[in-house]
Amino acid sequence: MGPTSANMCPLRIVFVKSQAAKEKLKPALDAGNVDKTMAAPVTAIFGMDIHFYEKLPKLFPHVDAKVWFKDLPENVLEYIALRNSSLQAAYFMLAARSQGLDCGPMSGFNNAKVDEAFFAGTTVKSNFICSLGYGDASKLFPRSPRLSFEEACKVV
């Protein structure tokens, strides 16, 4: 239920669970992500439907919002879908974590290979992937530092 502009909901998810599906994903992964992705019980491919506007008559029925987007260039639609699908995916991860699952989001993969393997013939493109499961806390390194409020924010 993550918020999106005009309730466009561009997120599309493929849950990679079977060994066959994992083998299909494997060639697209960066070397450092292969072992952990293959070991995860499931990996979610968070995709974004670039033609999200086709669903707006259902998702935003009180006004013809489809006309706001349908004639925009593909790169603009992709930018809009990226922002909004990222919001939705972040809410998905918060929900998964609230249920006790560990989440390993990553962008270390070849988007074109993932798109060909899982979204061929559609208007969906991959955004990022996220392995889900119950991790071994003893194998985790401490969380990396974060910027302080003063370093990251400005009150005006």
Side-chain angles (χ1 to χ4, degrees):
M1 299 293 288
T4 58
S5 303
N7 198 39
M8 65 181 56
C9 299
L11 182 68
R12 305 294 180 267
I13 306 171
V14 173
F15 293 99
V16 178
K17 184 175 179 180
S18 71
Q19 192 58 42
K22 288 181 179 192
E23 291 302 323
K24 194 173 166 181
L25 178 60
K26 189 176 183 176
L29 299 170
D30 288 358
N33 291 331
V34 171
D35 291 343
K36 56 187 165 187
T37 303
M38 294 299 105
V42 66
T43 297
I45 301 172
F46 292 125
M48 53 187 174
D49 188 350
I50 306 305
H51 290 182
F52 57 84
Y53 56 84
E54 296 292 346
K55 303 286 186 193
L56 286 175
K58 175 182 179 174
L59 298 171
F60 204 75
H62 46 284
V63 67
D64 185 9
K66 182 176 176 178
V67 299
W68 302 342
F69 301 101
K70 69 179 183 70
D71 295 324
L72 294 176
E74 283 289 306
N75 66 319
V76 174
L77 291 169
E78 188 170 340
Y79 179 77
I80 294 167
L82 178 67
R83 177 186 323 110
N84 288 280
S85 67
S86 296
L87 280 168
Q88 287 184 279
Y91 269 76
F92 176 97
M93 290 187 300
L94 287 171
R97 287 180 172 155
S98 78
Q99 297 301 305
L101 289 165
D102 291 314
C103 299
M106 61 190 92
S107 57
F109 67 96
N110 182 305
N111 290 77
K113 287 182 179 180
V114 168
D115 294 350
E116 180 60 34
F118 293 94
F119 300 122
T122 73
T123 57
V124 177
K125 294 183 178 185
S126 55
N127 182 344
F128 65 99
I129 63 177
C130 181
S131 291
L132 302 162
Y134 300 100
D136 181 350
S138 70
K139 294 183 180 179
L140 297 177
F141 56 88
R143 181 168 289 283
S144 297
R146 299 295 193 256
L147 296 177
S148 69
F149 180 86
E150 292 75 18
E151 291 173 300
C153 304
K154 180 178 178 179
V155 179
V156 295

